[in-house]
Amino acid sequence: MTCQGYIRELCGVFLLLIFTTQVTGQNLDSLERIYQLGNLTALEELKVLNDLADNDDPQKQLLFSTLLIEAAQKADSTRLVYNGYLGKGQAYQYKGDLVRALENYFVAYDIATERNKPKDGARVISSIADVYSIQGDHENAVRYYHRSIGTLYSQDDSLSAAISELNLGDAFMKADNPDSALFYFRKSREVFIEKEFSVGSGFALANMGMA
């Protein structure tokens, strides 16, 4: 039971719970119909595209993230340009195009750095680490997870840091290093318990058993 094996089903849910107000599939369908009607102001279009870019369908996520980037660039909204590139990275990752996923994640990271948003940057770095882990690039995966974890703890975002620690543990399991994996599974579970995040705590406990 590894976090990477459930990136869309579970880890993605973790991130949605922490970072966003999740839009239901029914609401996304309604928003898509509203967008297609085209009777929106520029500001309304940005908001709708931003919601549509957070989509469970990778193909739709890719489409609406691309449209979001174009609209956000016209509106000079670097925050939403960042969201668009993050969404494109996620879409390519779920589609299995890991090279393009990394390309878009690095653009999102550069934008977060330019905006002086270390927490946003750290979250993208964690996604970059996820991709390296999937590719079997253990050295880069560990390096980027550590970068993400350090920044997130320094930004008082311990829950996001714990998610990265959980995934770091998984990376060590893939590298046949159960001792290090167990260390990070335990660390992540301590935070999940402290934050009363029972789903994460249970997942970490299951991985501890495997380690």
Side-chain angles (χ1 to χ4, degrees):
M1 184 186 292
T2 65
C3 199
Q4 293 295 346
Y6 292 91
I7 287 176
R8 169 57 75 179
E9 292 79 1
L10 185 56
C11 296
V13 174
F14 283 177
L15 298 177
L16 285 172
L17 285 170
I18 297 165
F19 303 141
T20 68
T21 300
Q22 189 172 12
V23 181
T24 65
Q26 184 177 0
N27 286 342
L28 284 173
D29 290 340
S30 299
L31 284 174
E32 189 172 346
R33 286 193 292 271
I34 291 170
Y35 175 74
Q36 289 170 348
L37 289 173
N39 300 320
L40 299 171
T41 66
L43 187 61
E44 289 170 341
E45 182 183 39
L46 276 174
K47 185 180 185 309
V48 169
L49 285 173
N50 191 48
D51 287 338
L52 287 171
D54 185 16
N55 206 298
D56 287 337
D57 182 332
Q59 196 59 42
K60 286 187 176 183
Q61 185 176 30
L62 181 58
L63 168 65
F64 289 117
S65 294
T66 302
L67 291 171
L68 174 61
I69 292 168
E70 294 172 358
Q73 286 173 335
K74 290 178 183 177
D76 198 25
S77 173
T78 54
R79 178 180 66 85
L80 293 183
V81 173
Y82 162 85
N83 287 354
Y85 278 107
L86 182 62
K88 279 187 74 174
Q90 291 169 345
Y92 279 123
Q93 180 176 338
Y94 301 141
K95 287 165 67 69
D97 191 339
L98 301 182
V99 172
R100 288 187 178 180
L102 284 176
E103 289 174 354
N104 284 277
Y105 283 147
F106 277 117
V107 173
Y109 175 74
D110 288 342
I111 294 170
T113 302
E114 290 170 6
R115 296 183 65 235
N116 194 27
K117 297 291 183 181
K119 192 181 292 187
D120 287 346
R123 289 168 177 168
V124 180
I125 288 295
S126 183
S127 295
I128 291 170
D130 290 341
V131 174
Y132 281 132
S133 182
I134 294 168
Q135 290 178 326
D137 187 343
H138 179 69
E139 183 177 346
N140 270 323
V142 170
R143 181 160 62 93
Y144 278 88
Y145 279 132
H146 278 304
R147 282 181 60 184
S148 172
I149 291 165
T151 301
L152 289 169
Y153 274 123
S154 72
Q155 295 293 310
D156 295 321
D157 191 355
S158 59
L159 195 51
S160 299
I163 292 170
S164 289
E165 287 175 333
L166 184 68
N167 288 342
L168 176 55
D170 178 56
F172 276 116
M173 283 292 286
K174 287 181 176 178
D176 295 323
N177 189 341
D179 291 338
S180 293
L182 184 58
F183 174 79
Y184 286 104
F185 291 150
R186 282 176 172 160
K187 280 196 69 179
S188 68
R189 186 165 184 263
E190 288 171 1
V191 176
F192 293 147
I193 291 173
E194 179 185 346
K195 298 296 183 180
E196 298 182 349
F197 188 24
S198 58
V199 175
S201 174
F203 200 84
L205 182 63
N207 280 5
M208 286 168 60
M210 289 186 64

